[in-house]
Amino acid sequence: MKDFFLVDSRFSQQELPACKPMLTPGLVIMAFIFIGTIFIPIGLVSLFASESVVEIVDRYDKGCIPEKYGKHMVAFIQSKETNKTCLRTLTVPKLMKNPVYVYYQLDNFYQNHRRYVKSRNDKQLRSKAYASETSTCAPEATTANGSAIVPCGLIAWSLFNDTYGFSVKNKALEVSKKNIAWKSDQDSKFGSDVFPKNFQSGGLIGGAKLNSSKPLSEQEDLIVWMRTAALPTFRKLYGKIEVDLEANEKITVLIQNNYNTYGFEGKKKLVLSTTSWIGGKNDFLGIAYLTVGGLCLFLAINFVLVYVIHPRPLGDPSFLSWNRNPAGHCTYG
Amino acid sequence: MQGGRGIHFSQLYIFSYIQSFQDDHSQIGQKGYSRVVYCNDPDNPEALKLKYRGNCISTTKYTVFNFVPKSLFEQFRRVANIYFLVAACVSFSPLAPYRAGSIVLPLVVVIGATMVKEAVEDWRRRKQDIEANNRKVKVYGKDHTFHKTKWKNVRVGDLVRVEKDEFFPADLLLLSSSYDDGICYVETMNLDGETNLKVKRCLEATAALRDEFWKFKAIVRCEDPNEHLYSFIGNLYHENRQYPLSPHQILLRDSKLRNTEYIYGVVIFCDHDTKVMQNTIHPPSKRSKVERKMDKIIYFLFSVLVLISSIGSVLFGVQTKNDISGGRYKRWYLRPDSTTVFFDPRRASLASFCHFLTGLMLYGYLIPISLYVSIEIVKVLQTIFINQDKNMYYAVTEKPALARTSNLNEDLGQVHTILSDKTGTLTCNSMEFVKCSIAGTAYGRGVTEVEKAIKRRKKDGDPESVEASFDMEEHSGNITDSRKSIKGFNFRDERIMEGKWINELHAYVIQNFFRVLAICHTAIPDVNKESGEISYEAESPDEAAFVIAAREFGFEFYERTQTSISLHELDLKTGKKVARAYKLLHVLEFSSSRKRMSVIVRNEENQLLLLCKGADSVMFERLSEDGQIFEIETKDHISRYAAAGLRTLVIAYRELGEQEYAIWKEDLFEAKTSVSADRDTQVDAAADKIERDLILLGATAVEDKLQKGVPECIKNLSQAGVKIWVLTGDKMETAVNIGYACRLLREEMRQIVITLDTPDIIALEKQRDKEAIAKASRESVTMQIREGKSQVISSRQSCVSSALIIDGKSLIFALAENLESLFLELAIDCSSVICCRSSPKQKALVTRLVKKATGKTTLAIGDGANDVGMLQEADIGVGISGVEGMQAVMASDFAIGQFCFLERLLLVHGHWCYRRIAKMICYFFYKDITFGLTLFWFEAYASFSGQPAYNDWCMTFYNVFFTSLPVIALGIFDQDVSASLCLEYPLLYQEGLQNILFSWARILGWMFNGVISSGIIYFFITSSVIHQAFRRDGRVAEYEVLGVTLYTCVVWTVNCQMALTINYFTWIQHFFIWGCIIFWYIFLVIYGLLPPTLSTTAYQVLVEACASSPLYWLSTFFVVISALIPYFSYKAFQIRFCPMYHNKIQIARLKG
């Protein structure tokens, strides 16, 4: 044959040196024990780290509604006349070392809704030159007279506008708003020459207003808000308290309860939390590690028992015979 | 070879001259036979009106202009591609959940790659076409001379001159040749692969045409272009006379002129009208079982896709509708008061429907676009490995195994029934002259394979000692017989070898016997000028064996002219070699109906001799009274030879009286020139008249040797549970003996014989009442089948396997409508079946029946043109590239050099390919479900709005970069056990036969595993990283971070799952699996460095947010391990408690 040549190599003959792992009982037991012994310490460490975090969560959406509005919460929040100031007292359960992070937590708020996520214009946010680029922002693209809104779109328009003022023993606690957004957002996604324009000037006011003399890259609240959350329940960083909070200290929080979560039956929570190396307080991972580790050890023990009680007779010649004889082939020569 | 002496071929060869003239000639001018060719007159206005095409061939599928539309059309005949096209179109609308580019690009890549492949293949064909079109041939021009003209400019009706060793530019009508009698020799290697020369001859009316061509004008009316290579019907109208034309006058394009100085011919068919072009229609494409099942899975997944899309849209519709309640907008931040149709709560049902389309695109990952491409790639590479296997390389013919199609690799692992030809497939088809019976004495001491098998059976003792005794015998034989072995001759008998036959009692008879062998044939000698050695080109290997035998006995045939045959022969009186020439008067050729062949020659003593050889069934009845002296002994020998699996022919001769000959010659002439419809019968009768009163000389026995390794191969294949049917044209005794020799039949088996060779039927046949015969036969066959069935049932209870042997006559009835199913039930219950005396058509019919009735994969294997139907009918056709030409190989899907390679092809490559493809497809669905369902879970938490969880390009590249290579490596390289173990434990093949690895349970199991994995990944990740700060600096995980974390887990999980799944780790697997995971991180870094306009949500995610978060790594590690544990535990338990066969082998191997 003309264009044919046989390559006699281990590759072409499919005889490459190969490792052929086989799930023997020994290997299985070893694997389970190995996973168990790795997982349990990790679980303990994670759980410990999570437990070391001190967290105060205060749900205030209901509590901040005066009793007479109990049944008309939406009316209350939408009204311009009502006094939305609300005073809450939090008790520090344990020493909270600085920095203490202040979050607001919203519930049942679909920041990941497709319409919502898409309703922004990255070009406009990034550069002054594209100020009139509002193509994906409808219905918050332009004002009634047709001039472009900066920043446009539903996300910016619905910016969270509750504010918190903290004080301990009548001494105000300073909340630092610096450095709460991702640096990459500040540097590359929000222009330092882009200033808010026509923002919240239409008939419907969604959320917070912006200081139009500050460039977007410095509006960290906006940047944090515009980085949309993944799930309908989410926390966002509000600021940092850079002093230690002693145990049993009473913190007074003065809340401007402006944001309408009542319309969609969402909750609002204020969260103060320290962090550890693993981040905030969440026992799930530690417990999960422990559970799965324990399960693996359990399986390993089971396998050991099965192997001891009922070893498979590998030397049995019938072992290598097919369990279902093909028809007509009872005996093989 | 040169120089005819005015004797015309038609007088010499009486049958081939007339055979093709059948009633068909009356059809000329009617539909299908309407072609008119104006010979040597292409500018005739009538001819121009016909507008036959020029000779510029184009075998390309596409032209420059239609390439794009036509190839696109081809592509979109696949349902899956249409789905993707629709999705791509919709992706430009606002319905799209992600950017259009990310769905269009993979489609463009997939379609583009296939189109490029098509284009390259077409370009190669085009180059060949150009080369062929520009070859030159001499064409007779208006200026009455021959001009060299390019092939493409040759027109129908042109008169051309073709020189020795040139190819014919088109289908030509042979007018004359350099030989006086107008014959020429052609080689048809390119057409059918046969290397022997074929003789063509022109009409006598045109044979003298050498010059003055301008005078020659004729018209040919003939059949329309068709694909039948061996038939041609037409008439030549020349000088007011009509001459019928046959295939003997037609020279086909792509064949070559040999041994002839030149020929003149007229172009009849050009370009695509030529027979060879008409033949290039591609055979029906076959699809493998696995692939057909895959289509079902795709439909299943499509229903799943529709289902989850509908669930999504219904829930989306409900949630959207809820946005407006009591005139109040609930989710005010979505501005439901001023929204598009897609999110409008007032038209929730319409929004819901639009969302359904979005959902179809979003969850499109459930239907893997890359699956088809990956499978194509994998199969092509698998075939390369099959072709490269040195254990299937046949050194003698220098032929490796050749997978001619890559579609059917995995079907090789599921073959349920093998239907095999015998001659040339189980046997070598290189005939060896082993024995002969002359004058009632049996000569030849060789022992055939069959005889060994028979003795082995009789001895019943342990086979090894028998084997040893045979070895001894052969060994001792070798010492005495250490001279060089001659191909085609394996005869050992000191009584008549080396010229000692002179001393035998019947030396005169022996002399005549060998003379017949040396003269009565159609072979052509080929003298090697340097060594003086003579080789022969014969029409069949049997004939070659006879001529060679004659040479070895001292009757060396060395020259054939048109009218004479010359021998060197041993003179009985002087004992010296003398040259003798015999004048050849007539050749009465062999045909399957005549079953004999004769020549009439005049020897130097001016005696007229008729030399004849033929089958015993027709010869004995033609013997004269005093020619039967040795009849009883010879008959006895013949039956013994047949029992030993040998092919026998009876040799006889007679002397003719001058007068008798003269009368007969006249009769023959009359018969030949008669114009009545029964001319054939008349010629037959004439031949019959002279072929009688023969004097018996003896019989020959030729062995068609079993191919090497056939018995072992068959034994292993039947151990693997594959059923083997042998379909052969041989006699029942021969077939049964061969069956024993190749261990298809074993002593302990119960034989069920169905035959119509029963006395009652024979008696009926003598009465020639066709209806009665048919009725009796049908009844007899029905009864025999019923009996057989009960026998099989009883023998199965006692655990004895059965074998069915049926002859061709019974087969006709058994395959008839009403008996069909009964017969198949019986046949399927038998482990081996032998159908003897079956015609090619029956072979194809049986194949189709088995395929249809069992619904399982059938494999047909054969080597000759008579097996083509069977090969094309079966699910897999395997051609043996042997002696009988290339037709079988051309019609096959796989070609191998020897039957025994079938064992490796099925048990090793078939098994591997099957499990590879099966595993690959299962895994493909697993990985796409794992990925696709994480999207769905995310949707559930995004009020089903259609927001994907991941970045657009990450999604696009999932099937391209992060998961594709390992699965392709699995498809190409994975082995459960090594090749030697596959062969050692043939039972392993049952995994494919019972379709264990691609059962619905297994496929759904893998899908379920995908569902579990996706669930674990999504819910564990969201539970562990969401809400709280996920880094020390207090920042939380948003949409971007969650997407990347989930994606990381998916990439890790599916790749680690791959590592758990495969049994075979070479550096390639390690490289691909771990490489893909590493590449994901590299990709993320690079992609994240691009400006945010390009990378959008992936901008610096890994570098800035994830990499420095211990939680990211810890949760990834946890989730990946947890997602693997269910499969791992299942696997561990399964191997422990109900191991599959390959697991058992692996364990056994491990224990040593």
Side-chain angles (χ1 to χ4, degrees), chain A residues 6-7 13-14 19 103 110 114-115 140 181-182 184 188 260 275 280 282 289 310 314 320 329-330, chain B residues 332-335 388 718 799 916 945 975 1023 1029 1032 1034-1035 1038 1065 1099 1104 1114 1136 1141 1144 1151:
Chain A
L6 260 176
V7 185
Q13 299 306 318
Q14 312 196 48
C19 146
Y103 302 91
Y110 288 89
R114 183 154 65 106
R115 174 170 163 82
E140 288 299 328
W182 293 105
S184 69
S188 318
N260 178 11
T275 55
N282 186 348
Y289 260 117
H310 184 63
L314 281 176
L320 270 177
H329 280 256
C330 300
Chain B
W332 55 270
Y333 52 91
L334 296 176
R335 288 293 298 272
Q388 285 286 331
S718 62
C799 234
R916 283 167 184 173
S945 57
Q975 315 179 349
S1023 307
R1032 191 180 257 289
R1035 291 187 168 90
E1038 313 92 341
F1065 274 100
Y1099 184 64
E1104 190 188 33
L1114 269 185
R1136 179 66 188 75
Y1141 197 73
K1144 293 182 189 172
K1151 301 273 160 184

Side-chain angles (χ1 to χ4, degrees), chain A residues 79-93:
Chain A
S79 164
K80 287 195 173 118
E81 272 76 49
T82 46
N83 178 14
K84 303 199 175 70
T85 318
C86 170
L87 212 59
R88 310 281 295 179
T89 310
L90 312 174
T91 311
V92 180

Side-chain angles (χ1 to χ4, degrees), chain B residues 47-59:
Chain B
L48 290 175
K49 238 190 263 171
L50 291 167
K51 291 209 179 93
Y52 289 131
R53 281 199 276 187
N55 198 32
C56 180
I57 61 154
S58 161
T59 54

